[in-house]
Amino acid sequence: MDVRTFWLAGRAATGDSELTVTNPHDGREVGRYSVPTDAQVEEAIAAAHAVAREAAALPVHVRAEALAHVSRRLAERADEIAHLITAENGKPIFWARGEVNRAVATFRFAAEEARRWSGDVQRLDTEPAAAGRLAYVSRVPYGAVLAITPFNFPLNLVAHKVAPAIAVGAPVIVKPAPATPLSSLVLGEILAETDLPAGMFSVLPIENERASALVQDPRLPVVSFTGSAPVGYAIADQVPRKHVTLELGGNAAAVVLSDADLDWAAQRIALFSNYQAGQSCIAVQRVIVEQPVYDAFVERLLPAVSGLVTGDPADEKTQVGPLVSEAAAERVEQWVKEAVAAGARVLAGGTREGATVAPTVLADVPHDAKVACEEVFGPVMILQPAASIDEAYGMVNDSKYGLQAGVFTRSLDAAFRANRELEVGGVIIGDVPSYRADQMPYGGVKDSGIGREGLHSAMEDLTYEKVMVLTGLTL
């Protein structure tokens, strides 16, 4: 099997060691990739730092066309890349195709935003002392970006860091998850086809323990991390003077109020608690149902869960595949067992075979059980009745996380109340918290992170405002 190269300052390179990627479903070897040496990592950092001024000064049409090229090429290679995602991640091919399509859109949105990215003009002669003065306000990149990306969306979450960096003219170094680097290496291959200057991008598939040196390097003034809260805040603590953006975890709640369409709510919650095998920070984990409709909702939910197709992720019919590793599945299984030992009841699932955990529904879960208060990151949901809308919204907020929440209701008043009261970065009305449009602001509060993704929002996050004042003008 060929060994995949990595991307060093825009060119293909190999190191002096290699690692293997295996399929979580059947353990077969999917691919091998070359690992950069310390000297090559240093070369990438130096190149990104050296090109930062040139990158910031790139004409908009160069940045926009590079992004548009990536979007087109991802679309042309969509089937190939989707199968690669399924092989390295275990994501069912149905969801893998959706991820590729989203990445196509993410780069297209970035190209469009790059063309719209422009300065603002402010008249300052609103006071006599500022007569004849005009302010031009532009946004300037902080500098080179270190992008540390997770395994669960090995293409699109890389896209959400690379695309806005290129759009604003910032060099970017990607450190992909060691379990799933192949998709990002293909992205590097496509970026190498563009006219971006050498040093504008690198994809360095290094081991996690080597990432700290990149995090601490002063030539990378921005660190953009997606992953767990403990690791994210440890990064922020290491580099308090850097600009750090963190897209972290959650234990997302779906609220079902008495006026909801219960059939719709049951189908959506069943699917999106278990899509990606629950390995999404906005997968449904806590289901909070108003008491008057609790029994009727559960009657609809359990058949919807049992009807999900679990199996080989390469099968077109599969909806729920394996977790990223057997160790991850064992952890989820153990959390379920701990909850049951503490008094929880298993209404569905609760079993494991290799890396695959059956879609699981729990009731009567103690408040302090890990499946209730931590991020499961597996196909597990807990059911919680609420006496009223007041109690339901309070239960959503009774969490250290605050990424997104879903509220199933037909009431505009309940919707706007949710928007006022829920302590989350996004409120999805009439659907699950798992909904995300790639152009919208996306991020959380509390232990769910700092900063926002979504193309325009991320572009603002990677830049600072700079003011030029023109004097002596006749306005």
Side-chain angles (χ1 to χ4, degrees):
M1 182 174 288
D2 292 338
V3 178
R4 290 181 182 264
T5 59
F6 55 87
W7 296 91
L8 172 55
R11 71 178 192 279
T14 57
D16 56 11
S17 64
E18 61 187 56
L19 291 173
T20 300
V21 177
T22 57
N23 185 309
H25 175 66
D26 55 21
R28 65 183 171 84
E29 184 175 319
V30 174
R32 298 177 185 174
Y33 62 95
S34 186
V35 180
T37 65
D38 288 343
Q40 289 170 320
V41 171
E42 164 58 29
E43 183 180 348
I45 296 172
H49 179 67
V51 82
R53 287 183 179 274
E54 179 186 353
L58 279 176
V60 168
H61 70 87
V62 174
R63 290 180 252 155
E65 181 49 39
L67 293 162
H69 173 84
V70 174
S71 179
R72 290 192 297 268
R73 292 289 285 138
L74 287 174
E76 291 168 2
R77 299 178 63 177
D79 190 63
E80 167 204 347
I81 297 171
H83 280 89
L84 182 62
I85 291 172
T86 293
E88 68 172 339
N89 173 274
K91 180 177 301 191
I93 188 64
F94 170 81
W95 298 113
R97 288 200 178 98
E99 179 173 352
V100 177
N101 290 337
R102 288 180 60 188
V104 169
T106 297
F107 276 97
R108 185 179 72 248
F109 293 146
E112 294 165 356
E113 287 293 341
R115 293 188 187 279
R116 286 192 287 265
W117 193 246
S118 189
D120 295 324
V121 174
Q122 293 181 1
R123 288 185 63 148
L124 302 179
D125 60 344
T126 54
E127 300 296 329
R133 294 182 186 267
L134 187 77
Y136 172 71
V137 184
S138 58
R139 298 198 70 93
V140 179
Y142 289 105
V145 177
L146 171 61
I148 303 176
T149 60
F151 69 81
N152 57 327
F153 287 86
L155 178 66
N156 196 41
L157 289 186
V158 178
H160 268 285
K161 298 187 185 302
V162 171
I166 292 173
V168 302
V172 58
I173 294 177
V174 176
K175 192 227 102 48
T180 58
L182 303 182
S183 303
S184 59
L185 293 175
V186 171
L187 180 57
E189 178 185 334
I190 293 173
L191 284 165
E193 299 169 353
T194 70
D195 293 327
L196 294 171
M200 187 78 175
F201 75 92
S202 293
V203 182
L204 305 179
I206 61 173
E207 303 90 339
N208 286 338
E209 55 268 23
R210 297 173 62 194
S212 181
L214 282 80
V215 168
Q216 297 180 34
D217 197 297
R219 293 167 295 178
L220 302 175
V222 179
V223 179
S224 179
F225 171 84
T226 298
S228 71
V231 175
Y233 285 115
I235 288 173
D237 290 342
Q238 284 183 57
V239 285
R241 296 185 180 181
K242 284 195 176 190
H243 184 75
V244 177
T245 64
L246 303 175
E247 200 277 276
L248 306 177
N251 54 5
V255 177
V256 181
L257 296 180
S258 295
D259 66 336
D261 181 334
L262 299 184
D263 292 316
W264 165 254
Q267 292 294 326
R268 297 293 284 177
I269 288 170
L271 182 60
F272 284 94
S273 176
N274 297 289
Y275 87 122
Q276 319 259 135
Q279 296 171 124
S280 168
C281 46
I282 47 176
V284 179
Q285 182 172 329
R286 298 180 294 145
V287 184
I288 301 166
V289 186
E290 265 199 297
Q291 191 71 62
V293 295
Y294 180 85
D295 290 339
F297 172 76
V298 174
E299 288 176 2
R300 291 163 170 80
L301 175 70
L302 295 181
V305 171
S306 64
L308 296 172
V309 179
T310 302
D312 183 349
D315 190 322
E316 298 285 349
K317 298 177 182 177
T318 297
Q319 295 168 292
V320 185
L323 278 76
V324 72
S325 67
E326 189 163 349
E330 289 172 348
R331 177 193 56 78
V332 172
E333 180 187 37
Q334 183 59 36
W335 284 19
V336 171
K337 287 180 177 178
E338 289 174 7
V340 171
R345 292 185 296 122
V346 178
L347 304 186
T351 59
R352 177 183 68 85
E353 183 177 346
T356 300
V357 175
T360 298
V361 182
L362 302 176
D364 301 332
V365 176
H367 181 269
D368 60 352
K370 291 175 184 174
V371 294
C373 61
E374 300 292 342
E375 180 180 38
V376 174
F377 225 60
V380 178
M381 75 174 88
I382 66 170
L383 298 177
Q384 300 172 294
S388 64
I389 187 173
D390 294 334
E391 185 176 22
Y393 287 0
M395 292 166 71
V396 173
N397 291 338
D398 186 17
S399 171
K400 63 183 178 181
Y401 297 108
L403 191 46
Q404 293 198 158
V407 180
F408 289 87
T409 182
R410 294 183 174 95
S411 166
L412 275 178
D413 182 65
F416 277 94
R417 180 177 173 184
N419 190 56
R420 288 193 308 271
E421 296 182 7
L422 298 186
E423 298 165 357
V424 293
V427 178
I428 313 301
I429 302 299
D431 207 349
V432 290
S434 321
Y435 176 80
R436 178 183 180 183
D438 291 288
Q439 71 271 38
M440 79 182 194
Y442 176 77
V445 296
K446 301 193 281 190
D447 276 4
S448 288
I450 303 167
R452 291 293 181 269
E453 291 189 344
L455 279 306
H456 185 84
S457 299
M459 289 166 70
E460 287 192 334
D461 215 359
L462 298 178
T463 56
Y464 61 90
E465 286 187 319
K466 188 172 186 178
V467 180
M468 177 178 68
V469 177
L470 301 175
T471 305
L473 302 178
T474 302
L475 300 173

